[in-house]
Amino acid sequence: MRSFRERARRWPGALALALALPLAGCATDSGRPAAAPPASDPSGTGGGSGTATPPPGTRERLRVDGDVRQYLLHRPAASAADGPRPLVVAFHGRGADAAEMRAKTRLEQAATARGMLVAFPEGLGHGWGAGTRATKRRPDPGLDVRFTEALVQHLVRTERADPARVYVAGFSNGGSMALRVAAERPALFAGAASVSGQLPTGDAAVEPTGPVPVMVVYGADDPVRPLAGLPSPPPDPEEPILATRSARDTAAAFAAAAGAGEPVTRAEKGYDRTEWRFENASVGGRRADGTVRLLVVHDAGHTWPGSTLPPPQGFGPVSKDLDATNTILDFFADPGPDSDSGPDSDSGPDSDSGPGR
């Protein structure tokens, strides 16, 4: 097994793959969020009834900033005794869509079994504004953040989503988007998770602004967006690829914003886990305790660990040692430190970080 440090230093030979599905975009259009009631319409996941309680698996619409945005919505089985329900907002990768994210993760199956609502929003141009820099294609870099905020508020109002249990997750560019909204709206989310996504840096940098539990899951051998980050991305004729921090520096930025202590690292079967613990933090007038967790998955590429959906050619292997979907949902349910994270664990900057980029 190659060491973590050796894997972190590896640089992919085929950076052209990053043009196919990079992890960070920028956003489009302008204006302020003004949520409007969604209209259900038929989709491959189930027919929309147009009523206040359409069946599970509907395609919904929401007008924000003058654009009609779409999302797939999955509901758990209704019960007269049901109260407010947790909500997961899941962003697809660049070049993909909500249906692909649903198939890759099977998130709605795992979440529905836990009584959670799941929304899979559609990105404009099959991408997300994960960075703060305006571009020709995305002149308003804040649009997708406002859309996410409006979507959450709408689902709290119309679907009994619990505002205290709203979570965000994503893959690749969608993972970077999940990190951005958690960084900029920490009071809105009780947890965030990114698979194969890092925080943008440089002139599109995103800085965490408050405490929020975060999990970053990353393939050690990612050939599209390296574990060590992409400080000098190649040009993209359609939309610039953003420079990113390393996966570790991404997690450490959230840990610093939460006032977390020193990290603790442990080797698990198939991955290395690094954890920062924070407590007695305050966000949005409430106390926030939890952890920031980095899982570096051995022998895994730019893929969703545990997925049964084959990745594109050249994206690397899919780990079967980790079920990312259930691991993320478990983390959302209990973002505190793992029971075996303690002073006997290996820790320190040399235990898992590789080059500090």
Side-chain angles (χ1 to χ4, degrees):
M1 180 80 63
R2 291 182 298 276
S3 72
F4 189 105
R5 183 181 292 275
E6 289 169 339
R7 292 193 299 268
R9 284 200 180 101
R10 293 188 62 195
W11 192 256
L15 276 177
L17 286 172
L19 298 176
L21 213 92
L23 298 183
C26 273
T28 35
D29 294 336
S30 61
R32 291 173 295 181
S40 300
D41 65 60
S43 74
T45 58
S49 67
T51 68
T53 56
T58 57
R59 181 170 291 275
E60 305 289 332
R61 296 174 181 172
L62 179 66
R63 184 177 293 276
V64 182
D65 285 346
D67 287 311
V68 176
R69 306 293 296 265
Q70 298 190 44
Y71 60 98
L72 297 179
L73 181 64
H74 290 264
R75 303 170 178 84
S79 167
D82 281 351
R85 297 175 287 190
L87 166 66
V88 179
V89 178
F91 298 105
H92 61 76
R94 184 181 175 200
D97 57 20
E100 191 268 354
M101 182 65 175
R102 183 190 60 201
K104 181 197 303 288
T105 65
R106 293 185 293 181
L107 183 60
E108 87 285 0
Q109 298 176 26
T112 298
R114 300 167 186 245
M116 306 175 83
L117 291 160
V118 187
F120 296 94
E122 300 279 9
L124 295 175
H126 297 280
W128 298 103
T132 56
R133 184 183 70 194
T135 67
K136 181 177 180 181
R137 187 173 180 181
R138 297 178 183 272
D140 180 358
L143 180 65
D144 284 337
V145 174
R146 298 195 302 273
F147 165 55
T148 304
E149 190 170 30
L151 176 61
V152 169
Q153 293 170 350
H154 177 73
L155 295 176
V156 167
R157 186 173 66 251
T158 63
E159 298 289 341
R160 292 187 300 162
D162 186 348
R165 292 182 294 167
V166 176
Y167 310 97
V168 65
F171 174 73
S172 190
N173 168 234
S176 291
M177 187 67 219
L179 294 174
R180 180 182 179 184
V181 294
E184 296 185 358
R185 301 289 192 274
L188 189 62
F189 300 103
S194 170
V195 177
S196 298
Q198 301 156 320
L199 281 175
T201 188
D203 60 359
V206 172
E207 298 292 341
T209 58
V212 60
V214 169
M215 173 176 282
V216 177
V217 180
Y218 224 90
D221 298 311
D222 191 325
V224 176
R225 182 72 66 176
L227 177 67
L230 194 61
S232 301
D236 185 328
E238 294 186 0
E239 182 170 17
I241 301 174
L242 302 183
T244 60
R245 308 183 193 212
S246 70
R248 182 184 175 93
D249 286 350
T250 292
F254 280 98
E262 291 299 312
V264 174
T265 298
R266 292 186 68 92
E268 304 287 351
K269 183 181 183 298
Y271 64 94
D272 298 325
R273 186 188 72 228
T274 300
E275 188 173 276
W276 294 257
R277 181 178 182 178
F278 62 88
E279 54 187 358
N280 299 322
S282 177
V283 59
R286 60 180 172 82
R287 175 173 165 168
D289 296 345
T291 61
V292 175
R293 201 170 295 172
L294 170 65
L295 306 184
V296 177
V297 187
H298 304 164
D299 304 314
H302 194 71
T303 53
W304 186 278
S307 177
T308 59
L309 190 69
Q313 185 176 2
F315 276 46
V318 178
S319 172
K320 300 305 179 185
D321 289 327
L322 180 72
D323 179 343
T325 296
N326 280 300
T327 298
I328 287 168
L329 295 184
D330 286 345
F331 176 74
F332 288 164
D334 182 9
D338 284 349
S339 59
D340 57 352
S341 295
D344 294 334
S345 303
D346 296 330
S347 63
D350 292 333
S351 60
D352 70 312
S353 64
R357 291 191 292 183

